[in-house]
Amino acid sequence: MNVLVVGGAGYIGSHMVKMLLGERQHVITLDNLSGGYRDAVLGGEFVEGSLADRGLLHSLFALRRIDAVMHFASFIQVGESMREPALYYQNNLANSLNLLDAMRSHGCNRLIFSSTAAIFGEPDYVPIDEAHPQLPINPYGVSKWMVERILRDYDSAYGLKSVCLRYFNACGADPEGLLGERHVPETHLIPLVLQAASGRVDAIRIFGDDYPTPDGTCVRDYVHVEDLCSAHWLALNALQKSSRSAAFNLGNGQGYSVRQVIDTAHEVTGRPIEVIVEPRRSGDPARLVADARHAVDRLNWKPQHADLQTIIEHAWQWEQKMVRIAASPA
Ligand code: UDP
């Protein structure tokens, strides 16, 4: 298959490109390098450009037969989306529409879409299954929810088939050590804890320890980036076979608190990690845990790195590489 990976130079996208190359697919990566890195794209064709560029999109599809698209390119910071919603509606929503319209005009009708647990908003119950009400509480979640909603209409009206994958907390790194998380600024818990362990930041700040959870810190469902990618590959194959649109929640069904993450990082790294407790961050639900039985049953998804220790080991291997790169002469 010829697979267009939009956002293939970013964190999850780059792991996906690596997996698709391993599956002997022809990969075309489209990325504007706003948050991604050219050296994270380990093979295939690379096109530097943006989904805002409709002309580029049309020529991309006109010059090649693209069998399917995976769309990873979006802004992902909840806090930023509250301050700058226009960025999120422009990039995550309007640019996605450009992509869908280019696909439609060129008869490409298979899409795997990166969605998020944030479409559910404050949970009514956990674990969260696909039937859970969808009431996103920030522009990031709304932008993803809107694309999911639009995809339903594009399926009925234009036959564009899609699978929406709602990630819980994506984390970990390529077990071979070639790829990992490189967000600037980094806002995610696991890379920040490991930066505190390596000395790249002074401490990890816990955003609130007065939640109604066993140790007072928030509980999240951490899912390894490679397991997310295997779900995409299975979803693409299912879509090829069944031609039926679907949506799946992706997590391990196991929640860990912020303190448990810090303790595990301490065990894995053997380093002291300075902890500072700060007030709650706005918009953080106390517990977010996925019910991913649908993906397990329907896609035959079998996460390979479900335990937190392994996830943190892989992320630590990557963090140590980042430290070595930062220390080496330019
Ligand atoms: N968190 C924290 N300190 C940090 C970053 C995150 O205490 O420096 C907490 C955050 O409040 C949440 C959990 O860690 O409860 C996971 O946050 P992250 O930003 O990694 O992912 P999110 O759950 O927001 O998608």
Side-chain angles (χ1 to χ4, degrees), residues 9-54:
Y11 170 45
I12 305 173
S14 62
H15 288 79
M16 190 70 236
V17 169
K18 181 173 187 251
M19 185 173 285
L20 288 168
L21 294 169
E23 297 289 347
R24 309 208 159 281
Q25 306 303 306
H26 182 83
V27 180
I28 306 114
T29 294
L30 173 67
D31 200 299
N32 64 1
L33 301 182
S34 62
Y37 298 85
R38 177 65 185 89
D39 64 13
V41 182
L42 298 181
E45 265 184 78
F46 179 78
V47 179
E48 183 173 345
S50 161
L51 290 181
D53 186 344
R54 295 168 68 95

Side-chain angles (χ1 to χ4, degrees), residues 5 20 86 94 119 134 180 205 216 225-226 240 249 252 264 278 290 327:
V5 181
L20 288 168
I119 64 162
Q134 298 176 7
R205 285 152 175 85
V225 59
E226 204 176 63
Q240 289 292 97
N249 294 355
N252 289 308
T264 309
E278 292 201 347

Side-chain angles (χ1 to χ4, degrees), residues 169 187-189 192 204-207 218 220 258 281 284:
N169 286 65
T187 61
H188 292 121
L189 180 64
L192 283 174
I204 182 70
R205 285 152 175 85
I206 296 183
F207 299 144
C218 288
R220 294 287 179 274
V258 174
R281 184 172 75 175
D284 265 342

Side-chain angles (χ1 to χ4, degrees), residues 240-321:
Q240 289 292 97
K241 273 200 205 105
S242 74
S243 279
R244 287 196 20 208
S245 294
F248 299 97
N249 294 355
L250 298 180
N252 289 308
Q254 164 87 40
Y256 293 99
S257 72
V258 174
R259 281 206 189 275
Q260 283 175 309
V261 169
I262 297 171
D263 291 346
T264 309
H266 175 59
E267 277 164 35
V268 167
T269 63
R271 305 275 182 90
I273 297 172
E274 170 145 8
V275 174
I276 299 170
V277 177
E278 292 201 347
R280 293 181 178 196
R281 184 172 75 175
S282 79
D284 265 342
R287 276 187 81 202
L288 282 178
V289 178
D291 179 343
R293 276 178 300 179
H294 192 46
V296 170
D297 295 344
R298 297 273 302 279
L299 296 177
N300 200 22
W301 185 49
K302 297 191 184 89
Q304 299 297 305
H305 312 293
D307 70 293
L308 187 62
Q309 174 106 10
T310 310
I311 287 172
I312 293 182
E313 278 168 12
H314 292 163
W316 179 233
Q317 172 173 248
W318 176 252
E319 169 59 15
Q320 288 173 296
K321 183 169 174 176

Side-chain angles (χ1 to χ4, degrees), residues 217-249:
T217 64
C218 288
V219 169
R220 294 287 179 274
D221 187 335
Y222 294 93
V223 52
H224 196 290
V225 59
E226 204 176 63
D227 289 329
L228 290 178
C229 292
S230 71
H232 285 69
W233 175 237
L234 293 167
L236 179 57
N237 284 297
L239 197 54
Q240 289 292 97
K241 273 200 205 105
S242 74
S243 279
R244 287 196 20 208
S245 294
F248 299 97
N249 294 355

